[in-house]
Each structure stands twice: as structure tokens, then as C-alpha cells.
Amino acid sequence: MQLVKENHVKGWDDPRMSTISGLRRRGYTPASLRNFANTTGIAKRDNLIDVSVLEFCIREDLNKTAPRVMAVLDPVKLVITNYPEGHVEWLDAENNQEDESAGFRKVPFSRELYIEKEDFLEDAPAKFFRLSIGKEVRLKNGYIIKGESVIKDASGTITEIHATYDTESLSGSGTEASQRKVSGTLHWVSIAHAVQAEVRLYDRLFVDEAPDSHKEKDFLEFVNPDSLKIVTGYVEPSLKNAQIEDKFQFQRLGYFTVDKDSVAESLVFNKTVGLKDAWEEKGKKEENSLNNSLKEINKFFKVDSDSERNEVENVIKESIQAVTNFSLLQNVLKKNIANNKSSLLFANYMLKHSTQIASKDFDEETIQKLYTMSLRSESPFVRIEAIQNLRKDEVSLKALSSFLENLKSTEKDEKVKELLFSI
């Protein structure tokens, strides 16, 4: 209700909403929702189901039924310089390799094409398996091309890519050249034939898996600012007469459905889901980042100079600040409230350097346990970081005032004592 009333979404059927009308407009099918219900089952208690399960169900269904088409959402012009000007070939393209009965369609191929900007690098690293200068790739359903040169504007931005094609390499032609192995395959559209369309790139509405489960936070703080991006894309001409709720796989990009806002000569597509679970990949990357940071902590206690310790801290700081998952940060910090100097130092660094969590995001018992254990740590470095964090936490500072007063008379490290008396 609050999401709709405060205009965080555009009504109850906004494709980001988990309402039936929202899911339908997003492109979810009845079969995918039934499969989701069968997969998750029924429980007598509240249970948190990751949205990735729902996304898996729609991917599985659309993979079997959605026609494959080509669309370019972030275009850059590609000119095949040795292809005849004004010449057009209509190439055969398979509609769905999962369904033999889906058949084939014709797609136009010409001298000037659009490809995705991210599919080209002028100076590419060895493991870049797309187009670059001097490197060959295959155009989906078409020819093998080789990057030759680029044209740039006054600001240095590439406006055109020039390439040559192997005339004997047409996909499916059976020639020796057509069977050559190249490093990658790109999707494309013919500029002269492409249909312009508005493409709404929807993503998850919240950046946290359970935004209403954090009693210290307003769930609206977890609204994903990137849950909707609108771009102008170009789709192949076979989509010109697509109808509302028709569903397609934009090859290499994801699954899309025609929105109800579409009218003649003005197509609108909603992104249903990507081909892969980008959130799972991001989650694993962030979890690995924190695990690697924890390993770095051990180096901190092995080096001798302040400059070396600062270097270690800066590495850890970068890793912590790269993590945006609130629940992950919160859980990792809690796990590191242990009678271990490495864990305690890491937990304090998380409070110090994270842009996503602060002491107010934890209950008083948890955060005060961290401070008291840290202040009793054998390591003066841990005690220093705890005091520095305490200075920014007025609630805990007041609650632990008596404890801190007692420490002033027992602390032996001069740097720690100086910080204690500065509070």
C-alpha cells in the first residue's frame, strides 16, 4: 500500500510488484506460477522463499516456449566495409532450439548493423571473447567478421566500428569457412530494417532479501534505485507486429514481454528476467570479498610498521565498501563477535568502513557485546578501533560509561589510554 501511495511504483500492476497483475505484466506465465507453488509447497509457519526460485520457474517455462529474436539495447554502428552497398540478404534463423516445431524465420542482413557497445573493445585483453581490432567473431546466423578500425567523435567516443567479412563463412552453408571456430558469437540487427522500441529494464524492487525484517530500519530504505531503467533499443523486423503479452527471448540478453502501453509503430517491451541469476552471482562475489578480507586481517598482525598495517587496512576497506548487501554485512559482523582478535578487528573495521551498516542497525545487546569483547581483547589495535567506533556511537558510549571509566585505571597501552581519556 505504502509503495503505491508514495509513488515508489506506478500502481498495483507495476511489473516490479508481486501482485498477480504486476507479475502478469512483467511476463510471468500461469505455468511458471503453478510450478513455483508446487516447488515451494505449503508450510504451517512463515517461511522466506528467495525470489531466485520464482525467477528460475519463469526461465524454465520461457526457455521452452519463447521465440528467440535479436535486439540491441545499447547500440553502436558496425560497418562491414567489403559487403556490397545496398545489398540485403534474408538469412534463416531458428525460432527456438528447444522446440523443433517452432521452425525458422527470415532476418535481414546488410552492410550496416547495430551491435551492443559492450561487445567491442578497441584494445581487448586476451580473455575478451567478443569483437576487437584484428580479432574474428561470428554474427549470429550470419558471417564471420574481423575488426579492422574505428571512427571516434571529438570526445574520443567510438561512433563506428569497421570490419570485414569472410564471404564463404555464412552460418549453415556447409562450406569449410563456415565451420571455422571463432572466439565468440554476437547478436545484431540491420540498421535499415530495425524497429525502434522502448525497453523497460526491470530489476528486483528491493536490494535486500527481506526488507521488512530489520526492525531497526524502514523497509523503504531498501528500495532498489535501479529497479527500472528505460532505454531505446532496436529489434529485428519480425517483431513489428508483436501483440501485447507476447513473450520473446532477446538472445544473450534475457526474456521480454510486450507491455500494454504498446501501440502501433511504438513497441514497448518489459524485461521479465535475465538469462542468468545476476543477483546470485553478485551475492557470491560479495561473500567471497568479505571472506578474502577476513584472511587479510591475519596479515595485519604479522607486519611490523604502521605503514604496512595501513596498507592492509586499505585493502580491507575497499573490499568492505564494495559490498552492498545489508543482510550479508549484518550477518557477517555478528558472526565475527568472537573471542578472537582477528574476528573482532574485522567486525570493527566493518563498522568503521561500511557505507551500508552502522551501530544503530544492531540491537543494543549485540553491539555492546562487540564493544566489551573488543575492549577486553589482548590486542591494542582491536581496543583502539573499538574506542574510535564508540566515539561515534553516543547510545553505546553512554551505556558503557562505567566500563570505560574502569578501563582508564587498568589500561597499560599508552595509545589506548590516550584515546580513553579523550572520550
Side-chain angles (χ1 to χ4, degrees):
M1 182 75 75
Q2 192 174 349
L3 288 167
V4 176
K5 284 188 173 181
E6 295 182 7
N7 297 318
H8 296 286
V9 294
K10 298 176 182 178
W12 291 103
D13 68 344
D14 187 299
R16 291 166 290 184
M17 293 285 281
S18 55
T19 57
I20 293 296
S21 58
L23 290 169
R24 180 178 180 177
R25 192 173 174 189
R26 181 79 172 256
Y28 278 81
T29 61
S32 69
L33 297 180
R34 287 194 295 268
N35 188 26
F36 173 71
N38 291 333
T39 300
T40 56
I42 299 173
K44 292 183 179 180
R45 57 183 176 81
D46 288 342
N47 196 11
L48 181 65
I49 307 297
D50 197 298
V51 70
S52 62
V53 179
L54 177 62
E55 292 173 344
F56 170 81
C57 291
I58 186 61
R59 274 194 205 95
E60 187 177 47
D61 185 40
L62 292 181
N63 181 52
K64 300 172 185 174
T65 61
R68 274 56 167 165
V69 296
M70 291 192 286
V72 176
L73 306 187
D74 188 19
V76 62
K77 186 176 181 179
L78 170 69
V79 180
I80 304 174
T81 56
N82 63 332
Y83 194 85
E85 288 193 44
H87 184 59
V88 178
E89 289 180 80
W90 289 86
L91 308 179
D92 289 322
E94 192 174 16
N95 287 325
N96 188 339
Q97 64 269 32
E98 301 293 324
D99 180 6
E100 291 183 4
S101 65
F104 291 79
R105 68 191 186 284
K106 295 288 187 178
V107 291
F109 185 87
S110 62
R111 187 172 191 266
E112 296 184 350
L113 312 172
Y114 281 138
I115 64 170
E116 301 286 353
K117 286 181 181 177
E118 68 176 13
D119 281 339
F120 177 81
L121 281 180
E122 187 175 7
D123 298 307
K127 292 188 178 181
F128 183 74
F129 300 122
R130 285 167 276 180
L131 185 62
S132 61
I133 301 300
K135 191 172 183 178
E136 288 186 322
V137 295
R138 177 174 292 283
L139 296 177
K140 182 70 175 175
N141 306 307
Y143 296 94
I144 292 173
I145 62 169
K146 181 179 180 182
E148 301 291 352
S149 62
V150 297
I151 294 177
K152 301 180 182 180
D153 62 18
S155 65
T157 301
I158 295 173
T159 56
E160 280 188 25
I161 303 162
H162 286 187
T164 54
Y165 83 117
D166 182 339
T167 59
E168 301 297 319
S169 64
L170 179 61
S171 181
S173 64
T175 64
E176 185 177 342
S178 71
Q179 297 174 35
R180 286 199 293 119
K181 301 295 183 182
V182 290
S183 59
T185 300
L186 310 185
H187 63 277
W188 51 275
V189 292
S190 168
I191 293 177
H193 303 85
V195 177
Q196 184 173 303
E198 178 181 308
V199 183
R200 299 171 182 173
L201 301 173
Y202 288 104
D203 202 350
R204 295 183 185 178
L205 183 56
F206 297 101
V207 295
D208 192 82
E209 58 188 13
D212 58 350
S213 66
H214 309 288
K215 62 182 180 181
E216 304 87 2
K217 306 271 282 186
D218 183 341
F219 81 99
L220 291 175
E221 293 182 48
F222 296 105
V223 170
N224 181 5
D226 298 319
S227 63
L228 171 59
K229 293 180 181 178
I230 300 176
V231 300
T232 298
Y234 296 88
V235 302
E236 64 178 67
S238 68
L239 274 67
K240 187 174 183 179
N241 297 316
Q243 301 299 304
I244 293 170
E245 294 190 13
D246 282 353
K247 296 163 181 60
F248 303 93
Q249 183 196 102
F250 288 2
Q251 290 180 301
R252 300 177 65 230
L253 298 174
Y255 294 99
F256 292 77
T257 189
V258 182
D259 188 72
K260 67 178 184 178
D261 290 341
S262 286
V263 294
E265 306 301 323
S266 183
L267 288 171
V268 178
F269 290 93
N270 295 333
K271 183 177 181 179
T272 305
V273 69
L275 296 178
K276 295 181 180 179
D277 188 347
W279 285 82
E280 182 182 14
E281 291 179 12
K282 181 184 177 185
K284 288 179 179 178
K285 185 177 179 181
E286 291 191 343
E287 193 171 346
N288 289 337
S289 180
L290 289 178
N291 289 336
N292 291 335
S293 295
L294 191 51
K295 293 175 183 177
E296 287 289 323
I297 284 284
N298 296 323
K299 295 180 183 178
F300 185 95
F301 296 104
K302 293 178 181 178
V303 297
D304 298 319
S305 67
D306 286 342
S307 62
E308 290 174 305
R309 281 188 284 270
N310 287 336
E311 285 181 19
V312 174
E313 182 178 352
N314 285 333
V315 171
I316 295 168
K317 174 184 175 180
E318 288 181 11
S319 296
I320 290 172
Q321 291 184 341
V323 178
T324 59
N325 186 321
F326 179 86
S327 293
L328 175 62
L329 288 163
Q330 197 177 52
N331 291 334
V332 170
L333 188 143
K334 288 178 181 178
K335 287 179 182 177
N336 281 281
I337 302 177
N339 192 21
N340 174 291
K341 64 181 181 181
S342 295
S343 296
L344 290 171
L345 183 61
F346 185 61
N348 277 285
Y349 276 164
M350 290 182 71
L351 270 189
K352 180 180 179 180
H353 295 304
S354 176
T355 57
Q356 304 297 320
I357 57 170
S359 56
K360 63 182 178 62
D361 297 323
F362 299 85
D363 59 73
E364 289 185 15
E365 181 182 355
T366 298
I367 203 68
Q368 288 176 25
K369 181 180 179 182
L370 170 63
Y371 288 138
T372 53
M373 291 185 73
S374 299
L375 291 168
R376 288 171 175 154
S377 172
E378 62 182 286
S379 169
F381 300 113
V382 176
R383 301 199 295 275
I384 286 171
E385 293 301 334
I387 295 168
Q388 289 178 335
N389 283 331
L390 261 171
R391 292 167 79 173
K392 296 177 285 186
D393 182 357
E394 293 182 7
V395 174
S396 296
L397 188 61
K398 185 177 180 180
L400 296 174
S401 57
S402 298
F403 182 73
L404 292 168
E405 282 301 316
N406 291 333
L407 283 180
K408 290 177 182 179
S409 59
T410 58
E411 180 59 57
K412 293 181 172 56
D413 186 274
E414 291 301 320
K415 286 185 178 180
V416 179
K417 185 177 290 188
E418 183 181 343
L419 274 176
L420 282 169
F421 279 94
S422 70
I423 295 176

